[in-house]
Amino acid sequence: MTVLHAISTLVLALIGAGVATRRHPSIHIRFMGAAFAIDLALALWIELSRHAVERVAGPAGPLVWFHAGVSTLVLALYVAQLRLGRRLLAGQSASRRVHIAIGLTFCLCRGLNYVTAFAITPQAALLAPQTALLNAPAPPAIDKE
């Protein structure tokens, strides 16, 4: 298991703790906020260190595309949940059903993100040498004098 997988596992544990404490808003908010912050940092780290967007735009297979789509959807669902959660805290209980429905969708998508991350890691490792070769500088010219 890589460090990134370990961090992703931690995020899932935080989400699980957040779901388990959903009836205690102050605790629930802390768990889910921590999960969001770590997941966002993880996504940024992957982009900055591995240039994930370039890889998806390049020679990527359907599983990598699926993973990238689900990962983007997860981040969008986090934002939706944060907004709905703020409405609930402000006393707008009409948002509760939507918060629950999006929460279930979020958990499904985050689970798919987690599983596909393990599935694409070997592909990413195979693409890394190819990408390095494509981005390597040309060898210096040899003079035959």
Side-chain angles (χ1 to χ4, degrees):
M1 178 183 287
T2 68
V3 172
L4 296 177
H5 289 135
I7 294 170
S8 189
T9 302
L10 170 66
V11 169
L12 283 185
L14 289 169
I15 291 169
V19 170
T21 60
R22 67 190 176 277
R23 300 200 191 284
H24 306 283
S26 62
I27 300 169
H28 173 76
I29 291 166
R30 288 185 180 120
F31 280 127
M32 299 309 283
F36 175 62
I38 294 169
D39 246 358
L40 183 59
L42 188 61
L44 289 172
W45 173 256
I46 290 169
E47 173 52 32
L48 294 173
S49 67
R50 296 185 177 185
H51 308 287
V53 173
E54 287 179 30
R55 286 195 181 175
V56 171
L63 186 60
V64 174
W65 276 93
F66 180 78
H67 177 76
V70 167
S71 299
T72 304
L73 182 58
V74 163
L75 293 175
L77 290 171
Y78 266 124
V79 172
Q81 286 297 81
L82 288 169
R83 293 188 68 178
L84 288 166
R86 290 180 58 86
R87 288 183 189 170
L88 286 170
L89 287 174
Q92 297 177 8
S93 60
S95 299
R96 185 170 309 282
R97 285 183 178 249
V98 179
H99 187 71
I100 292 169
I102 291 177
L104 292 170
T105 304
F106 165 79
C107 287
L108 174 68
C109 289
R110 188 57 179 87
L112 287 170
N113 167 274
Y114 184 75
V115 170
T116 57
F118 281 93
I120 67 168
T121 300
Q123 291 180 11
L126 291 174
L127 286 177
Q130 295 169 356
T131 304
L133 286 174
L134 291 173
N135 295 330
I142 300 174
D143 291 333
K144 294 185 178 182
E145 292 182 41

